[in-house]
Amino acid sequence: MKIKLLDKYIFKKFISTFVFVVALLVIVIMVIDFTEKNEKFIKNDVPTDLIFYYYLSFMPWIANLIAPITVFIATVLVTAGMAAKTEIVAMLAGGISFRRLLLPFFVGSLLIAATTFYVNGWMIPNSNKYRIAFEVEYLKKPFYFNERDIHFKIGPEQYLYLQRYNNRSEVGYKVTLEEIIGTELKQKLEARKMTWDDSLERWQFKDWELRTIHEFGETFTKGDEIDTVLSITPEDFDNKYQLNETMNLDELNEYIALLRERGADDVGVYEIEKYIRYMLPFTAIILTFMGVSVSAEKSTRGGAGFKIALGFLIAFVFIIMFILVKAIAEAGSMNPLFAIWIPNIIGTVITLILYRFVPK
């Protein structure tokens, strides 16, 4: 009974502190964000109700983003406070092992990890659809598709090439559509341009010429205009700003499969987003154990304040490390799955070392 009461005491204190720290940081970040963006809101004459809905969708996104770090900070605050009041010493003296003392922290971190995984996997992407659409509409410059020499694999044996594409007029120029079976070219359609027909929801090729290769020769046909159904739409040329954050895990997996089928170059961005969503819940658990190990011993120098400052320093270093490895993964300099897990691997090693030297 005594142990269960202590479990409830630590668990309740841990979760309540976590919620408080998240709420406090979210409010501070929102105030800073509003201060930075207010000039653009005024300049673009953004309605107040839209700004209100924007920050309603901004809150869960930023709360989930900082969750692993706030778990660490909350753990340090709770553990350092208990150590300063000699509560941990009393528990250990009462026969409770240090390993057993970790149980309520583990249960709390597991609850937070499971919640953030579900929220980040399915709920946040839905609210991000509004947040990101708002930012594109009111905070970003108008988007112009400026890539050249664009290649798409639009079917098992079909390949599309565009010299350039105008996303404002939905027109592609100098188009080539090829059908290649194995290593042999079977058909090649060339056109001066292709335009999107909204009423028919298909592409129209202008000034086209079709070359068809037979077993014993070739035939050529040409015309002024021909309708063609392709597996791409103007949406494939739209602004991809933070598109990965608007997809839930199911949509993300489907989109990754589509990009792989097309042989797209930017598939890595979406794979990294997927890896991060699976990695972050484990980060919360690792940082919880690290926080307890850092703060459990009663300090004679600096007291709880020193441990809290140390906790913030470690959290800052972790953020820098995460940003660094994400950039490395996106640059393709390292296997993205391994790169994204580097902070967790290093964090686990540090936690085990700290745990080894905690007086028990």
Side-chain angles (χ1 to χ4, degrees), residues 171-223:
V171 177
Y173 297 92
K174 292 192 176 180
V175 185
T176 301
L177 178 62
E178 296 178 324
E179 180 184 354
I180 301 175
I181 300 177
T183 58
E184 295 184 6
L185 176 66
K186 295 297 182 181
Q187 277 192 339
K188 184 174 183 178
L189 176 65
E190 294 181 294
R192 180 173 58 86
K193 65 179 181 178
M194 70 180 198
T195 61
W196 177 254
D197 190 322
D198 280 324
S199 59
L200 299 175
E201 293 189 346
R202 62 181 63 183
W203 295 97
Q204 291 182 335
F205 283 31
K206 311 286 187 179
D207 299 330
W208 59 273
E209 181 177 289
L210 176 64
R211 173 191 173 197
T212 304
I213 301 174
H214 305 289
E215 186 177 354
F216 300 106
E218 302 177 2
T219 58
F220 291 87
T221 53
K222 61 182 180 178

Side-chain angles (χ1 to χ4, degrees), residues 109-119 281 285:
S109 66
L110 199 61
L111 175 63
I112 293 168
T115 303
T116 55
F117 175 72
Y118 175 74
V119 168
I285 297 172

Side-chain angles (χ1 to χ4, degrees), residues 60-113:
W61 172 71
I62 197 66
N64 188 74
L65 187 67
I66 64 176
I69 300 304
T70 50
V71 167
F72 179 74
I73 295 171
T75 305
V76 171
L77 288 172
V78 171
T79 312
M82 292 172 62
K85 295 175 183 177
T86 326
E87 291 178 340
I88 293 179
V89 173
M91 292 176 191
L92 295 175
I96 301 174
S97 68
F98 185 77
R99 183 179 298 178
R100 179 61 181 79
L101 190 64
L102 292 174
L103 181 61
F105 287 103
F106 173 69
V107 174
S109 66
L110 199 61
L111 175 63
I112 293 168

